[in-house]
Amino acid sequence: DGGITQSPKYLFRKEGQNVTLSCEQNLNHDAMYWYRQDPGQGLRLIYYSQIVNDFQKGDIAEGYSVSREKKESFPLTVTSAQKNPTAFYLCASSIELINYGYTFGSGTRLTVV
Amino acid sequence: SQQGEEDPQALSIQEGENATMNCSYKTSINNLQWYRQNSGRGLVHLILIRSNEREKHSGRLRVTLDTSKKSSSLLITASRAADTASYFCATDSKGWSGGSNYKLTFGKGTLLTVNP
């Protein structure tokens, strides 16, 4: 079955540490996205990528970095510069950037300890 | 900035009743989408309605779009306990050139509880 796999499901980060969240899709989708969700809030866009080796900043990119070396993979690194990283992170993909619905992964819950 | 806002924030109904959720947005759109999220899970795409469409159906779901009022509604008929979830609208806004902004902007969602 095709889908998006996010790992790990739960992640704990110490102060000053960088962590990387994995996102893999086997849907052959060109576009991929990272969103952050805080309690009681909507989703906010961190980064998005239309094609391999290309990505754009979303609304809240500060303190985050991404890469898109393969079509299937779009990992997100939460750096120590992100001062409030505790949140639920969602990866998504779509056939193209516009006019198609998104397929979401099951999310990674990141907690700072 | 928030583009879409759902109303009400929370809705509690009995199984078998219909549920209606509304979404208002601020700027012109290319399309509007509805998603469902069960607690602690990812979002599931329900329906996409384009700016030149007024109504779409999918099973027990009915979505309407009124671009003159910048609003949309999601109707779930004959609700079931399994419909309990948060429902989000998301808009693909028009960019300055009239094309897409290439990103979906999500509202804060409506929490629907269907009591057995």
Side-chain angles (χ1 to χ4, degrees):
Chain A
D1 285 340
I4 294 187
T5 301
Q6 288 188 243
S7 62
K9 189 170 183 178
Y10 299 96
L11 186 57
F12 298 91
R13 192 193 93 166
K14 295 181 180 178
E15 295 283 349
Q17 197 177 45
N18 292 354
V19 291
T20 297
L21 284 60
S22 172
C23 177
E24 302 277 334
Q25 55 100 357
N26 60 2
L27 299 165
N28 200 32
H29 285 174
D30 283 320
M32 297 188 75
Y33 316 82
W34 274 105
Y35 283 88
R36 168 181 172 144
Q37 186 177 31
D38 294 283
Q41 301 295 313
L43 280 65
R44 290 184 292 168
L45 182 64
I46 305 173
Y47 269 97
Y48 65 98
S49 169
Q50 185 178 3
I51 55 172
V52 174
N53 292 323
D54 180 70
F55 49 82
Q56 303 295 327
K57 292 182 178 180
D59 299 318
I60 55 165
E62 185 175 351
Y64 300 98
S65 66
V66 294
S67 63
R68 187 89 188 273
E69 298 176 0
K70 298 187 300 181
K71 187 175 186 177
E72 302 80 15
S73 179
F74 192 41
L76 173 74
T77 297
V78 184
T79 73
S80 57
Q82 171 50 240
K83 297 307 178 188
N84 185 23
T86 295
F88 189 49
Y89 290 86
L90 288 159
C91 179
S93 71
S94 63
I95 294 173
E96 294 179 2
L97 269 184
I98 59 174
N99 290 329
Y100 289 92
Y102 290 6
T103 301
F104 279 84
S106 55
T108 292
R109 189 166 299 279
L110 174 63
T111 304
V112 174
V113 295
Chain B
S1 61
Q2 211 74 34
Q3 162 71 322
E5 288 197 13
E6 295 87 347
D7 172 64
Q9 291 186 338
L11 180 61
S12 182
I13 60 174
Q14 296 299 122
E15 215 167 20
E17 293 180 341
N18 295 343
T20 299
M21 288 157 273
N22 302 297
C23 172
S24 59
Y25 57 90
K26 298 174 184 174
T27 61
S28 296
I29 60 170
N30 292 302
N31 65 65
L32 184 144
Q33 303 180 31
W34 285 92
Y35 289 80
R36 183 187 76 229
Q37 184 182 34
N38 291 89
S39 181
R41 305 295 298 273
L43 278 71
V44 174
H45 180 254
L46 298 176
I47 286 184
L48 181 153
I49 186 165
R50 302 183 194 284
S51 61
N52 61 354
E53 297 175 313
R54 291 297 167 259
E55 188 171 311
K56 282 190 91 167
H57 297 256
S58 177
R60 293 184 295 113
L61 307 180
R62 173 183 165 233
V63 168
T64 61
L65 179 64
D66 187 335
T67 53
S68 66
K69 294 182 180 178
K70 292 187 170 58
S71 68
S72 174
S73 68
L74 170 66
L75 169 67
I76 304 174
T77 60
S79 63
R80 307 165 182 167
D83 294 328
T84 295
S86 292
Y87 291 82
F88 294 87
C89 71
T91 52
D92 173 12
S93 302
K94 286 188 184 292
W96 64 271
S97 62
S100 171
N101 270 332
Y102 301 118
K103 59 180 183 179
L104 285 185
T105 304
F106 288 80
K108 294 183 180 181
T110 291
L111 176 59
L112 173 65
T113 302
V114 181
N115 301 299

